[in-house]
Amino acid sequence: MRRIISISNLRFFFILILILSIFIRCDDNEIPFPEVSVNVTLALDTQLGNMLVGEYRTIDGHGLGGLIIYRADRNEFLAFDRACTYEASRKCVLEDAVSFFKCPCCESEFWMVGVDIAGSVYQGPASYPLKQYNCYFNAPNLVVVRN
């Protein structure tokens, strides 16, 4: 009888440990990126300066830290938040460092070249890519960014 009780207690202990290990994460100290409403229409010729394929522009006043608009193709644009995904605050706005953006707070760097890697982490403590928003090209002249 005593052996049956100890086996059931042991099973209960292992099940409890398994459940706790599923819900507890200790892999990073990153702050979850907050949900911010973004709904902006930008004119390609004036607000985005007729940017060419492979170029990007920064737009202040939208998202958490502003926006980075990247022209991936003639009719395709990508939109990213300029706030660092490691710090996730309005104080840590990424700075343009030619082909990538750098966080002044934690020094994480994010790529801004090529469609496949734009917004991904180049180096630093950040492990998540930049927050990406839905972006539509409403020909002939409007870029719409929403989340």
Side-chain angles (χ1 to χ4, degrees), residues 57-71:
R57 300 283 187 273
T58 58
I59 306 294
D60 294 327
H62 304 282
L64 185 63
L67 297 175
I68 302 168
I69 308 295
Y70 177 80
R71 190 166 195 173

Side-chain angles (χ1 to χ4, degrees), residues 6-92:
S6 66
I7 291 174
S8 65
N9 284 343
L10 189 60
R11 285 184 187 156
F12 175 76
F13 176 74
F14 283 123
I15 290 171
L16 181 64
I17 294 296
L18 178 66
I19 291 171
L20 287 175
S21 67
I22 291 171
F23 292 107
I24 296 176
R25 289 181 10 159
C26 58
D27 55 39
D28 60 53
N29 294 324
E30 292 187 62
I31 301 167
F33 203 89
E35 284 298 318
V36 178
S37 178
V38 175
N39 186 4
V40 61
T41 302
L42 304 165
L44 181 59
D45 59 347
T46 56
Q47 293 170 298
L48 296 175
N50 282 325
M51 58 198 274
L52 301 174
V53 173
E55 293 183 335
Y56 53 85
R57 300 283 187 273
T58 58
I59 306 294
D60 294 327
H62 304 282
L64 185 63
L67 297 175
I68 302 168
I69 308 295
Y70 177 80
R71 190 166 195 173
D73 198 346
R74 180 179 171 164
N75 297 320
E76 182 184 4
F77 292 81
L78 304 175
F80 302 97
D81 203 296
R82 254 179 90 190
C84 181
T85 55
Y86 187 77
E87 301 289 334
S89 95
R90 294 185 193 276
K91 296 176 184 175
C92 295

